[in-house]
Amino acid sequence: MKRLTLKDVAKMAGVAPSTVSFVLNGKGKQMRIRDEVASRIMQVAEKSGYEPHRMAVNLRTGQSKTLGLIVESISGSFFASLAKTIETEAERRGYNVVYCSTENNAQKGGELIRMLGRQMVDGYLITPAPGMEKEIQHLVQQHKPVVLMDSYFPAIKTPYVLINNFDGVQQGMKHLIGKGLTKIGFVMVDVKLIQIEERLRGYTTALKEHKIPVKKKHILQLQYHRQREDSLNELQSFIEANPELDAIFFSTNYLGILGLEVIARMGLKMPDDIAVLCFDDHDIFRLYPPGISVIEQPIEGIAKTAIDLLMHQLDKNSGPMKKTAVEIPGKFILRGSA
Amino acid sequence: MKRLTLKDVAKMAGVAPSTVSFVLNGKGKQMRIRDEVASRIMQVAEKSGYEPHRMAVNLRTGQSKTLGLIVESISGSFFASLAKTIETEAERRGYNVVYCSTENNAQKGGELIRMLGRQMVDGYLITPAPGMEKEIQHLVQQHKPVVLMDSYFPAIKTPYVLINNFDGVQQGMKHLIGKGLTKIGFVMVDVKLIQIEERLRGYTTALKEHKIPVKKKHILQLQYHRQREDSLNELQSFIEANPELDAIFFSTNYLGILGLEVIARMGLKMPDDIAVLCFDDHDIFRLYPPGISVIEQPIEGIAKTAIDLLMHQLDKNSGPMKKTAVEIPGKFILRGSA
DNA sequence: TACCTGTGCTAAATCGATTTTGTTAAAATT
DNA sequence: AATTTTAACAAAATCGATTTAGCACAGGTA
């Protein structure tokens, strides 16, 4: 029971292999194959269940019809939703996706990109981590199609799509301030990523706009790579050192989860002892009493836009980009914690 | 800046392409290539950074060096851990992995398998869902390498690996009974899957062994496809209808999470009002106060064993399987809820 | 009549590897 | 000295498609 090849189909239809190829690839008209012959070929191909050999096509055309998706962590709901949407969108367009996670391993990013290169992906979808800038730059210089998601490097000229971080934080801050809360803490990580900076800018701007003084000691910058326990302790010290705080804004869901643990440990009650707001939703936040209010990322929108941008690059005959930088607004979800 | 081909390397080394191929594939000795020439070729290949063209290799050898991993849901921590381990293990062996999720779509399973077939994966790792039996049977009959994980179909003769469900539940039940709890409820879904039945058997057996009567009304079978809200209500009715219950055993983490929500809604306190135990861990269970005790799946062990079993099938020259059915014990993790 | 121009397809080159078969010179054997 | 073996590699076939170039024939034109 061997594989059915194009040659077999040709023999069955009584024509040359090239003719079959033309017809099956929709170039029948262009190659002046008679409709009669064309439809015969189609029928034969259909009922014999012929499927072209992927590898052969790839080898000949030089296109693998595969996209590489590189994310920080393959766990995590952000990736899950992202992957789901991207996979279905890609499939709709005849592409499939290979996933890779850097797993917060700074120098693993580069390896991954090279590995994908070896596997000849046609394009890259990347959520950039701090250590990957050089490798990404390299790809872009080689004119490989690349779209960044969730963050970007100002120095790299390639399309990106992400949530409007500034606006998202603003939405949340306005809610807090609207409830009369003014002593608002902000917890962030110390990595130099544009989205983190934007979130901080959202925080300070919102305060300033409402004439609330920005106090440095209300901003906690946790180190990125730390023992979980160390981070918890630092967070607890921060809250204890600022007993006047009536709300805390966590700038990532990872931080928010740490926050929940500390708040539980300290026996504080949300939202009365302290209101909590978090950037980026998480399964836990829906469930954890009294429900954690969040800024939800428009993941589906990000994924769809990213694929669009990537496909645009893959289409050689499509004009230049109109928009190369897309920001999609996030959605404020009110739950019990703020 | 074109791709470096084997021919280029050959030219640079002053030999024929075939010679290069032999050397790079470790067949130099066998083909009696002089060490001198071989090492020259190696050097050239090394410093020119030559990488063989995957598709060309695949076409020629007929092996895609790709495994297909089919899971129920690409979200979910089970998949996340599974995928991570499988990917690294596969990579270690020179394989890469494409993922697919059936997303609880009964008839999507078949399509997926066909889709992977088209892409010519060398082998399949599958967590079987109810609707996929026929397609899997088909694969096995075609002598495609297949390993099932997490569950299996008794009728299909292909290796599988999963947690020892019976024993896992027993561990949990013994703990509950050891604490003097005897009115223990059991919540399950009504799908006919072997692992669910095994868990139920663990429950009833544990009760019988301790001379505790098994009451039908203490067992709730939720319908698989239901609106989330409906399931919540049914669960709540179940608890209200059995106020004597002092513990509930949830047979999957999805059910456990629903349980948490209902218990919170009803204002019950764990573990005093009701003790809770769940099969299969989840991020939330670590965090959710007071911590939910669980039977943890040995996911890493499952993944590693599965890959081993699959690789064994892929090795044509390896003897027949010794063990084709593997059960790995789960681990009881005590937290605050029971 | 000799010369184009389309039509409708087929033959052959190509992609980049692997693998089988050939080739040549030196060494070994008869 | 003639023949066989062996070492050491080169040449060519192959995997299964796509694509370019080519070929035969009918009809139209100079």
Side-chain angles (χ1 to χ4, degrees), chain A residues 101-324:
Chain A
S101 56
T102 55
E103 299 304 340
N104 302 325
N105 187 335
Q107 46 87 251
K108 201 184 165 192
E111 278 178 52
L112 274 173
I113 292 181
R114 271 189 297 280
M115 193 186 70
L116 290 182
R118 249 186 276 142
Q119 310 202 355
M120 314 208 38
V121 305
D122 293 341
Y124 298 81
L125 294 160
I126 306 178
T127 63
M132 298 167 65
E133 180 157 8
K134 235 178 297 178
E135 294 292 340
I136 295 176
Q137 183 67 275
H138 193 97
L139 283 180
V140 174
Q141 281 166 352
Q142 290 182 268
H143 302 104
K144 302 268 187 196
V146 176
V147 174
L148 305 182
M149 297 174 300
D150 194 42
S151 178
Y152 63 97
F153 298 109
I156 298 184
K157 217 178 130 20
T158 199
Y160 58 81
V161 40
L162 69 166
I163 186 175
N164 188 324
N165 286 287
F166 178 78
D167 170 73
V169 174
Q170 292 264 66
Q171 285 186 55
M173 291 297 290
K174 272 182 189 143
H175 170 79
L176 292 178
I177 295 170
K179 288 187 65 174
L181 308 176
T182 57
K183 313 282 194 301
I184 305 172
F186 189 80
V187 180
M188 58 192 283
V189 284
D190 69 344
V191 290
K192 281 264 175 306
L193 279 175
I194 205 89
Q195 75 268 42
I196 302 297
E197 283 164 19
E198 280 294 291
R199 291 176 198 176
L200 179 59
R201 194 169 68 85
Y203 166 78
T204 54
T205 305
L207 289 181
K208 282 178 195 156
E209 276 177 5
H210 291 83
K211 316 267 188 239
I212 302 173
V214 179
K215 293 188 186 166
K216 242 181 244 151
K217 66 171 195 155
H218 284 174
I219 299 175
L220 174 61
Q221 298 212 14
L222 281 171
Q223 282 171 51
Y224 189 47
H225 279 301
R226 281 294 278 287
Q227 288 297 97
R228 183 185 166 74
E229 196 55 40
D230 293 341
S231 300
L232 287 173
N233 290 332
E234 199 170 342
L235 197 44
Q236 178 158 1
S237 309
F238 172 72
I239 297 177
E240 284 168 352
N242 296 285
E244 72 277 17
L245 289 180
D246 42 30
I248 299 188
F249 198 120
F250 292 96
S251 64
T252 75
N253 57 15
Y254 173 72
L255 294 175
I257 291 171
L258 290 180
L260 294 186
E261 207 160 336
V262 169
I263 286 168
R265 188 191 281 182
M266 293 174 68
L268 299 176
K269 290 271 164 268
M270 297 178 286
D272 298 328
D273 294 340
I274 195 151
V276 165
L277 211 68
C278 189
F279 202 98
D280 199 0
D281 201 2
H282 191 284
D283 280 345
I284 292 177
F285 295 156
R286 279 208 332 275
L287 229 50
Y288 197 97
I292 311 303
S293 302
V294 298
I295 317 298
E296 184 191 44
Q297 298 227 41
I299 302 185
E300 214 173 301
I302 292 177
K304 277 188 177 150
T305 311
I307 288 261
D308 279 345
L309 290 172
L310 194 59
M311 289 296 158
H312 194 87
Q313 290 183 66
L314 287 169
D315 265 351
K316 253 88 185 204
N317 51 356
S318 70
M321 289 288 154
K322 291 150 289 192
K323 258 200 170 167
T324 176

Side-chain angles (χ1 to χ4, degrees), chain A residues 76-89:
Chain A
S77 54
F78 182 76
F79 165 73
S81 317
L82 198 63
K84 202 182 298 179
T85 312
I86 284 183
E87 179 159 329
T88 56
E89 285 297 309

Side-chain angles (χ1 to χ4, degrees), chain B residues 189-208:
Chain B
V189 284
D190 69 344
V191 290
K192 280 264 175 305
L193 278 176
I194 204 91
Q195 74 268 41
I196 302 296
E197 285 164 18
E198 280 294 291
R199 290 175 199 177
L200 178 59
R201 195 168 67 85
Y203 167 77
T204 55
T205 306
L207 290 181
K208 282 177 195 157

